[in-house]
Structures are given as C-alpha cells and as structure tokens.
Amino acid sequence: MTLVLFLGLGVVAGVLAGMLGVGGGIVVVPVLLAVFHYLGFAPGVITHLAIGTSLATIVFTSLSAVRAQQRKRAIDWPLVRALVPTVILGAFLSGYVAGWIPGHLLRLFFGGFLVLASLQLLLNWRPAGQRGLPGRVGQWIAGGTIGMVSALVGIGGGTLTVPFLSWCNVDMKRAVAASSTLGFALALFGAAGYVLSGWNLPELPAWSLGYVYLPAWLGISATAVLFAPLGVRLSHALPVATLKRGFGVLLLFVAARMLLNL
C-alpha cells in the first residue's frame, strides 16, 4: 500500500508540475512528512528524509523537461553555464550542512517558503523586468542563493530562478528553459549532499541511502515522469489561472498547519 501511495504521489506531482508550472517538491515534501510519520520513522530524521528524497525525485523528472527544451532549442547554454557552478556548489553545501540543522528548523523554513509560494500563485506575481543580467560576480551570488535555498526546501529552483531571470529582462521561454536545466544540476548535487550528510546514520529506516528513502524515490519518479506530459496537455484545456489560485489556497492551508504544529 505504501508503494501504491508513492506511485500516486508521483502522478499528482507530475500532473501539477506540467499543468501549473510548480515544482513537484512543493507537493512531495509535505506528503512525505505525513507518510514517514505514519510509518513510524524516527522523528529526528523525517524532515531531512522528506527533503532529500524530494530532491532525488527531481533528478529524474527534470530530465524530461530538459530533453523537451533541448528539442525546441530553447536552452540558452551561455546563461546556464554562467549560473550553474554556484547553483551546484550552493545546492551541495546546503544539502550536506542540512544534516546538522534540527528538523523543526527545517520545517519552519519550509513552511515559510510555502507561504511565499502560495502567495505567488494567488497573486500570479512575476517581477517586472527592471535591468539586465548582473555581472559575473552577481550571477555567482544569485546562483549560489538559488542553489542553497532550493536544496533546503527540496525543490528544483524554478520558483526562484524564473522570477530572478524575469527581473533581469530574460525572455520567459528562455527563463523557463534555463530554470529546467539548472533544476537538474541543483537536484542532483543537492540530493548528493543529503546522501552524504545522512550516510550510515543509525536512525534511518531500511532502504535509505543517506537522507534519500529509495522506495519513495523510485515510486514517485516512475509516475511523475510519465504524467508530467499529461499536465502540460491539461494546461491547454483547463482554466489554469483559477486552478493556480485554488492550489495557492491549499498550499497556504498546508503551510499554516505545518507552522502551527512545530
């Protein structure tokens, strides 16, 4: 039954990612927190395990998006190459250091991030283009910040990368394509950080690789990859703006419960 739940969670995460353009981690982490608690995992590792597993699932789900963007020749590789070194560094360090952060502080940070993500969906907020891309140092700082924050909450970074690039007057299609490509690198190295920080920890359940729970990783990844294209098709047939507001309300409710139960 647990495996069926993970497969179903992958379906929901894949459809929502394709339909609403939200990262699967926003859905996956809260559900995994509840499932791991139900399964009786040690309370001190549940939050780390949920976030690390979420990042590991994004490694596979982002690959399909990268392939699709590459077929359309939409990826601005010079832009990706400028940001990716510090995205990788920030994600890996954040994932590794997270092992020493108490679980309740990680939940607090994730809950606060959910509030901001829900408000972004409710208000359909995107920053207006104000300037061009910063210089090399500015791009390194931006990439490192995106990598660190995203790895701490278990997302692929699109919630941060796309608004940043839009603010820098990058065309939306280029911004989304770059975000998808950076999301793969971010998830891969962020998950590696969580694997190392939890390596051989005795409190972890069986079938864990560091802070990545393998049954959840495989189940969610398998169906999310398959159902993300369905979400894209639904985005052309359904009132996406209304659905985004509804999902934003749901996220706000989840964030409130998480913050009140710390």
Side-chain angles (χ1 to χ4, degrees), residues 79-170:
L79 175 60
V80 170
R81 284 193 291 269
L83 293 172
V84 76
T86 51
V87 166
I88 287 173
L89 180 63
F92 179 78
L93 290 177
S94 193
Y96 186 71
V97 171
W100 284 270
I101 300 176
H104 70 278
L105 291 181
L106 279 180
R107 288 196 301 275
L108 176 63
F109 189 77
F110 183 81
F113 182 83
L114 271 191
V115 171
L116 296 177
S118 64
L119 292 176
Q120 184 183 24
L121 287 169
L122 286 169
L123 302 175
N124 197 26
W125 176 81
R126 291 194 185 278
Q130 299 291 332
R131 49 162 299 162
L133 283 165
R136 180 173 295 181
V137 174
Q139 291 179 36
W140 285 349
I141 293 172
T145 302
I146 290 168
M148 286 189 291
V149 174
S150 300
L152 275 180
V153 295
I155 64 170
T159 307
L160 301 174
T161 307
V162 173
F164 167 70
L165 293 178
S166 296
W167 181 64
C168 294
N169 274 311
V170 175

Side-chain angles (χ1 to χ4, degrees), residues 8-133:
L9 178 56
V11 172
V12 174
V15 170
L16 286 175
M19 183 170 59
L20 303 182
V22 297
I26 289 177
V27 180
V28 169
V29 172
V31 176
L32 287 182
L33 287 172
V35 172
F36 292 162
H37 178 76
Y38 171 77
L39 292 175
F41 293 172
V45 302
I46 284 177
T47 306
H48 302 79
L49 202 59
I51 294 174
T53 303
S54 173
L55 282 171
T57 64
I58 294 169
V59 173
F60 280 117
T61 56
S62 62
L63 270 178
S64 59
V66 173
R67 285 199 302 269
Q69 296 289 2
Q70 180 61 20
R71 283 196 297 268
K72 296 178 182 177
R73 300 188 181 277
I75 300 174
D76 185 337
W77 287 108
L79 175 60
V80 170
R81 284 193 291 269
L83 293 172
V84 76
T86 51
V87 166
I88 287 173
L89 180 63
F92 179 78
L93 290 177
S94 193
Y96 186 71
V97 171
W100 284 270
I101 300 176
H104 70 278
L105 291 181
L106 279 180
R107 288 196 301 275
L108 176 63
F109 189 77
F110 183 81
F113 182 83
L114 271 191
V115 171
L116 296 177
S118 64
L119 292 176
Q120 184 183 24
L121 287 169
L122 286 169
L123 302 175
N124 197 26
W125 176 81
R126 291 194 185 278
Q130 299 291 332
R131 49 162 299 162
L133 283 165

Side-chain angles (χ1 to χ4, degrees), residues 216-244:
W217 171 50
L218 293 173
I220 295 168
S221 299
T223 50
V225 169
L226 293 175
F227 281 85
L230 173 62
V232 174
R233 289 196 294 272
L234 289 174
S235 70
H236 296 283
L238 297 175
V240 172
T242 302
L243 291 171
K244 279 189 175 182

